[in-house]
């Protein structure tokens, strides 16, 4: 399938991926409508396709897909705000569990899967020196524990189950604070904030047309749209350190870059 990421889709395009905004996006949608092409909108503010269509208004006749990577998923951005506002006190630990079914691509596949939890952690803590204390790699499974100079512990367990069809089976994060904890269910999707005597649940509309962009990331020519290159470089350094620690059995420290 020929998927175009260009503002002006070529004549042989069968689908369009757009991270444009405003009038530029509306012009692209008009072009897609004229050619009857489905459009995947990269990381919209809208949580569902219905909300996205209402937001864009003029997109009648276009099959719209709302694409969220984990770091821009509405449930995670809500949890990020809860951390920033101190709803559970000071952040002390982040525990990430991800299970994906789909075809395996060995080393590349494992690196791609652990990129999401690392990026989420970076967004929650900001720049910090991190030490990969323990790490293990096996067929389809990656696990590691890290400690930061901000006294936040980070653990991640990521697995891929062989299958012909790609599907996220489990995507859950628990943020432990000094006065409570925040649970993120990315498949719900929902966010639960638990404090002594008080539990608050925030739910988001589910939409079978909502898809993740991980499978399309390789088509983006210059990294991830909307993300600073320095941020992506920091994530790559941490992923490399996880693999180094797993292969040597030695803790690896990634200093904060000035």
């Amino acid at each position: 399938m020929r998927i175009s990421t260009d503002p002006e889709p070529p004549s042989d395009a069968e689908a369009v991926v757009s991270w444009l905004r405003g009038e530029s996006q509306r012009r692209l949608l008009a072009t897609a409508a004229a050619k009857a092409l489905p459009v995947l909108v990269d990381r919209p503010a809208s949580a569902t396709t219905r909300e996205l269509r209402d937001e864009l208004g003029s997109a009648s006749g276009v099959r719209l897909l709302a694409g969220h990577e984990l770091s821009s998923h509405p449930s995670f951005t809500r949890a990020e705000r809860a951390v920033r506002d101190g709803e559970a006190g000071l952040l002390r630990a982040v525990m990430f569990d991800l299970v994906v079914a789909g075809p395996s691509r060995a080393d590349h596949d494992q690196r791609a899967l652990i990129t999401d939890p690392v990026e989420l952690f970076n967004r929650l803590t900001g720049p910090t020196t991190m030490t990969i204390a323990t790490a293990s790699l096996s067929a389809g499974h990656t696990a590691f524990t890290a400690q930061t100079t901000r006294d936040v512990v980070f653990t991640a367990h990521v697995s891929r189950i062989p299958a012909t069809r790609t599907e996220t089976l489990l995507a859950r994060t628990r943020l432990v604070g000094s006065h409570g904890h925040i649970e993120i269910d990315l498949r719900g999707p929902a966010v639960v904030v638990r404090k002594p005597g008080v539990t608050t649940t925030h739910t988001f509309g589910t939409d079978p047309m909502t898809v993740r962009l991980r499978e399309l990331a390789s088509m983006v020519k210059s990294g991830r749209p909307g993300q600073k290159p320095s941020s992506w470089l920091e994530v790559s350094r941490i992923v490399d350190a996880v693999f180094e620690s797993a292969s040597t059995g030695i803790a690896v420290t990634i200093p904060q870059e000035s």
Side-chain angles (χ1 to χ4, degrees):
M1 184 178 191
R2 176 72 186 277
I3 299 178
S4 172
T5 58
D6 298 327
E8 295 293 333
S11 59
D12 61 344
E14 298 177 70
V16 175
V17 178
S18 170
W19 52 85
L20 300 172
R21 295 294 181 264
E23 187 57 35
S24 296
Q25 186 172 77
R26 289 184 174 85
R27 287 198 300 269
L28 175 61
L29 291 174
T31 301
K35 297 182 178 182
L37 300 176
V39 178
L40 174 66
V41 180
D42 179 356
R43 298 180 233 194
S46 311
T48 68
T49 300
R50 175 178 292 181
E51 292 175 11
L52 178 63
R53 189 175 295 281
D54 290 343
E55 174 189 335
L56 296 176
S58 61
S60 60
V62 178
R63 183 189 177 201
L64 285 175
L65 304 168
H68 296 282
E69 286 195 289
L70 293 184
S71 61
S72 62
H73 194 288
S75 59
F76 180 78
T77 55
R78 175 60 184 87
E80 188 179 24
R81 188 165 73 249
V83 171
R84 186 173 61 247
D85 294 343
E87 293 185 34
L90 295 176
L91 186 63
R92 293 301 186 210
V94 177
M95 293 169 281
F96 186 96
D97 291 287
L98 176 66
V99 180
V100 176
S104 177
R105 294 179 294 277
D107 180 76
H108 167 77
D109 185 63
Q110 288 183 289
R111 286 179 179 272
L113 285 176
I114 65 175
T115 295
D116 276 324
V118 169
E119 186 178 345
L120 298 187
F121 184 79
N122 276 4
R123 284 185 49 173
L124 289 168
T125 63
T128 180
T129 294
M130 178 185 294
T131 298
I132 307 299
T134 60
S136 64
L137 301 174
S138 59
H141 180 73
T142 304
F144 63 92
T145 301
Q147 178 74 44
T148 76
T149 50
R150 296 177 184 266
D151 294 325
V152 181
V153 175
F154 175 32
T155 62
H157 294 84
V158 180
S159 301
R160 179 179 287 278
I161 300 171
T164 56
R165 178 172 175 266
T166 300
E167 181 182 6
T168 301
L169 303 178
L170 173 69
R172 187 170 297 157
T173 303
R174 188 177 184 189
L175 314 176
V176 180
S178 56
H179 299 93
H181 63 268
I182 301 165
E183 299 170 0
I184 312 169
D185 182 357
L186 292 160
R187 293 186 71 244
V191 174
V192 180
V193 180
R194 300 184 188 277
K195 295 182 285 187
V198 180
T199 298
T200 306
T201 301
H202 307 272
T203 58
F204 304 88
T206 57
D207 187 339
M209 294 178 69
T210 298
V211 297
R212 291 186 57 223
L213 290 180
R214 175 60 62 200
E215 291 73 18
L216 297 173
S218 62
M219 298 178 183
V220 180
K221 298 177 181 178
S222 57
R224 296 184 175 186
Q227 188 177 51
K228 296 180 180 179
S230 58
S231 172
W232 182 238
L233 177 61
E234 179 65 19
V235 170
S236 298
R237 291 171 65 225
I238 295 172
V239 172
D240 288 342
V242 170
F243 275 72
E244 180 182 346
S245 178
S247 62
T248 63
I250 301 173
V252 177
T253 296
I254 311 99
Q256 176 184 338
E257 290 192 332
S258 58

